[in-house]
């Protein structure tokens, strides 16, 4: 992109005002109709319809429900823009008029924002193709929350079968509970690796009145849950960033029966591979030790559910794109932030291509509310986080900033025609 002024991106961004009402309607429709991982058929159909109308070569059903659009526009780099599509098994409690109409499902992580913003950018970039040269790939990915959506698309031949040209760079964004209109970034490792585990503890069932005749798996699992919290505090150096969270505990059906098994699900977030190995080994050790201490009839079963790699931003690409973010939004709206212990699989699309990644955060919360909470030191208490039943980003200026950011990021990596 031309470094001289903003005339180049401004000309591409100019139609956004006229398209905004349609994008808002799209976003609200997606929010009303959330779909879980690998079930995003309605979302994928709307994405497909729009990409065809914009003039993209579209491929559907990649990795189940994934959709790609390719716009070849002369010589130049191949730039891939990615959005995830899946919702969460969360019951919405936001009170917005366009709340989820599907019981027990909600776009609680903002993937409806991501889809809307990428479609908006895809439209602007197609309409403004006389101002850039290269190949644009827009990718709508299933099952980010499950941790294997990107992997499924890759396994289905995304690059190996030439479903899309191998990108020279991968760009993505995620809406967060920062102030709307803000862009946050983190050089290097920006999001943690994640491992989710399911551990089944085995006991021997019995009558609640005679615990001495049984081996109680609930007591066994409860002791594990308490003890596993000591791993980070006692076995990992304080300088390391590690999180161990038990998110599910299932056992028994009634008050007077000791069940024969208890199932615990937990997640581990880490940045260093050696630390990750140590934590996973400690969890396995503690599970087996608690089972032995309870004289369990058999060792616990430890099952890996999903795994995300560390998300690593390429600093050269980050700096290049950020120069253009700053030029468009102003330095006060673009700021550095610390690495997040959340996890992502967008990096797998870059790693498989041998391409650099830039993954930034898009503010989505009311700016005045955010600033008030920040000043009071109450962000955690007053601003709902992703995955909360209350997490619904404000429509404006979130969508405008998100479309602009995706468009300008793409233009910064494509060849410009001045």
């Amino acid at each position: 992109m031309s470094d001289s002024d903003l005339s180049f991106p401004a000309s591409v961004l100019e139609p956004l005002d006229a398209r905004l009402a349609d994008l808002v309607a799209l976003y609200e429709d997606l929010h009303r109709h959330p779909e879980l991982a690998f079930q995003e058929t309605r979302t994928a159909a709307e994405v497909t319809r729009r990409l065809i109308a914009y003039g993209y070569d579209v491929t559907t059903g990649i990795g189940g429900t994934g959709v790609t659009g390719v716009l070849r526009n002369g010589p130049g780099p191949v730039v891939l823009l990615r959005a995830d599509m899946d919702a969460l098994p969360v019951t919405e409690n936001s009170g917005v008029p366009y709340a989820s109409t599907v019981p027990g499902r909600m776009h609680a992580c903002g993937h409806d924002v991501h889809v809307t913003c990428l479609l908006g950018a895809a439209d602007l970039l197609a309409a403004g193709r006389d101002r850039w040269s290269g190949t644009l790939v827009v990718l709508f990915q299933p099952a980010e929350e499950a941790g294997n959506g990107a992997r499924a698309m890759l396994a289905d031949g995304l690059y190996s079968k030439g479903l899309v040209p191998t990108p020279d760079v991968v760009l993505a964004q995620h809406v967060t509970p920062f102030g709307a209109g803000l862009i946050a970034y983190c050089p290097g490792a920006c999001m943690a690796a994640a491992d989710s585990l399911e551990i089944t503890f085995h006991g021997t069932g019995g009558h609640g009145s005679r615990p001495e005749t049984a081996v109680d798996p609930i007591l066994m699992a409860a002791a594990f849950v308490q003890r596993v919290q000591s791993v980070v505090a006692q076995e990992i150096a304080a300088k390391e960033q590690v999180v161990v969270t038990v998110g599910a505990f299932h056992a028994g059906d009634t008050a007077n029966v000791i069940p024969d098994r208890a199932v615990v699900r937990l997640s581990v977030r880490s940045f260093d591979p050696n630390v990750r190995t140590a934590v996973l080994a400690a969890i396995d050790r503690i599970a087996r030790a608690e089972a032995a201490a309870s004289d369990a009839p058999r060792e616990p079963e430890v099952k890996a559910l999903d795994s995300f790699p560390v998300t690593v931003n390429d600093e050269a690409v980050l700096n290049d794109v950020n120069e253009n973010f700053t030029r468009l939004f102003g330095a006060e709206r673009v700021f550095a932030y610390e690495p997040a212990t959340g996890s992502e699989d967008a990096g797998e699309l870059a790693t498989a291509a041998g391409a650099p990644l830039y993954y930034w955060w898009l503010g989505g919360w009311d700016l005045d509310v955010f600033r008030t909470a920040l000043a009071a030191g109450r962000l955690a208490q007053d601003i709902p986080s992703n995955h909360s039943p209350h997490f619904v980003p404000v429509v404006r200026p979130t969508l405008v900033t998100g479309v602009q950011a995706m468009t300008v990021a793409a233009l910064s990596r494509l060849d410009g025609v001045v």
Side-chain angles (χ1 to χ4, degrees), residues 52 149 269 297 380 386 395:
I52 291 172
R269 314 282 174 150
N386 299 74
V395 174

Side-chain angles (χ1 to χ4, degrees), residues 47-184:
V47 166
T48 300
R49 182 185 73 80
R50 286 175 175 260
L51 290 181
I52 291 172
Y54 301 157
Y56 287 76
D57 294 327
V58 178
T59 304
T60 63
I62 308 174
T65 50
V67 179
T68 60
V70 178
L71 189 61
R72 294 175 173 84
N73 193 38
V78 179
V79 175
L80 187 151
L81 306 180
R82 174 268 200 179
D84 38 15
M85 300 188 291
D86 54 323
L88 285 159
V90 172
T91 298
E92 183 160 353
N93 189 22
S94 68
V96 298
Y98 50 89
S100 171
T101 60
V102 185
R105 297 182 188 176
M106 177 192 176
H107 268 296
C109 203
H111 296 186
D112 45 355
V113 172
H114 304 167
V115 171
T116 303
C117 290
L118 181 50
L119 283 171
D123 185 11
L124 294 181
L125 288 162
R129 71 186 77 185
D130 61 326
R131 305 310 306 271
W132 58 270
S133 178
T135 297
L136 181 65
V137 179
V138 291
L139 182 148
F140 296 82
Q141 179 200 306
E144 184 277 333
E145 298 292 355
N148 53 359
R151 219 168 293 157
M153 293 188 77
L154 291 166
D156 216 4
L158 181 69
Y159 304 144
S160 61
K161 295 180 181 178
L163 302 182
V164 301
T166 302
D168 296 306
V169 66
V170 174
L171 304 168
Q173 65 184 358
H174 202 299
V175 67
T176 68
F178 295 143
L182 303 179
I183 298 287

Side-chain angles (χ1 to χ4, degrees), residues 405-418:
M406 290 296 272
T407 305
V408 169
L411 289 173
S412 73
R413 304 307 298 175
L414 292 161
D415 287 344
V417 181
V418 181

Side-chain angles (χ1 to χ4, degrees), residues 54-414:
Y54 301 157
Y56 287 76
D57 294 327
V58 178
T59 304
T60 63
I62 308 174
T65 50
V67 179
T68 60
V70 178
L71 189 61
R72 294 175 173 84
N73 193 38
V78 179
V79 175
L80 187 151
L81 306 180
R82 174 268 200 179
D84 38 15
M85 300 188 291
D86 54 323
L88 285 159
V90 172
T91 298
E92 183 160 353
N93 189 22
S94 68
V96 298
Y98 50 89
S100 171
T101 60
V102 185
R105 297 182 188 176
M106 177 192 176
H107 268 296
C109 203
H111 296 186
D112 45 355
V113 172
H114 304 167
V115 171
T116 303
C117 290
L118 181 50
L119 283 171
D123 185 11
L124 294 181
L125 288 162
R129 71 186 77 185
D130 61 326
R131 305 310 306 271
W132 58 270
S133 178
T135 297
L136 181 65
V137 179
V138 291
L139 182 148
F140 296 82
Q141 179 200 306
E144 184 277 333
E145 298 292 355
N148 53 359
R151 219 168 293 157
M153 293 188 77
L154 291 166
D156 216 4
L158 181 69
Y159 304 144
S160 61
K161 295 180 181 178
L163 302 182
V164 301
T166 302
D168 296 306
V169 66
V170 174
L171 304 168
Q173 65 184 358
H174 202 299
V175 67
T176 68
F178 295 143
L182 303 179
I183 298 287
Y185 64 91
C186 176
C190 66
M191 298 190 80
D195 295 275
S196 293
L197 307 174
E198 180 181 89
I199 303 177
T200 303
F201 292 90
H202 298 280
T204 54
H207 199 290
S209 68
R210 300 185 66 202
E212 72 278 6
T213 67
V215 175
D216 190 343
I218 294 179
L219 181 62
M220 192 187 314
F224 164 81
V225 169
Q226 183 172 355
R227 180 66 182 271
V228 80
Q229 299 302 319
S230 70
V231 172
V232 175
Q234 301 294 320
E235 300 190 35
I236 304 299
K239 67 180 181 178
E240 302 292 347
Q241 282 188 284
V242 185
V243 178
V244 176
T245 301
V246 176
F249 191 124
H250 301 286
D253 296 301
T254 190
N256 64 346
V257 176
I258 297 171
D260 63 359
R261 68 181 61 197
V263 179
V264 174
R265 290 187 173 187
L266 68 157
S267 68
V268 177
R269 314 282 174 150
S270 60
F271 287 90
D272 183 285
N274 293 325
V275 171
R276 172 182 176 271
T277 298
V279 171
L280 293 176
I283 290 170
D284 184 80
R285 184 191 76 234
I286 292 170
R288 296 181 190 284
E290 292 296 348
S294 295
D295 195 24
R298 51 190 283 208
E299 288 192 331
E301 298 168 20
V302 180
K303 176 184 176 182
L305 299 176
D306 58 55
S307 180
F308 293 81
V310 177
T311 302
V312 181
N313 276 330
D314 181 89
E315 294 196 34
V317 174
L318 179 150
N319 289 334
D320 178 49
V321 173
N322 279 0
E323 284 184 13
N324 293 289
F325 281 170
T326 301
R327 201 173 281 122
L328 176 65
F329 298 122
E332 71 281 358
R333 290 175 57 188
V334 182
F335 65 98
Y337 197 71
E338 61 191 21
T341 50
S343 302
E344 250 290 345
D345 66 351
E348 298 199 39
L349 299 170
T351 299
L357 170 76
Y358 180 23
Y359 186 97
W360 64 89
W361 296 301
L362 170 70
W365 210 252
D366 181 274
L367 185 56
D368 290 336
V369 175
F370 173 77
R371 285 173 172 164
T372 298
L374 179 64
R378 290 186 54 84
L379 286 178
Q381 294 80 13
D382 296 346
I383 308 295
S385 67
N386 299 74
H387 293 210
S388 163
H390 303 282
F391 183 76
V392 178
V394 295
V395 174
R396 295 178 177 87
T398 305
L399 295 184
V400 173
T401 306
V403 173
Q404 290 175 333
M406 290 296 272
T407 305
V408 169
L411 289 173
S412 73
R413 304 307 298 175
L414 292 161

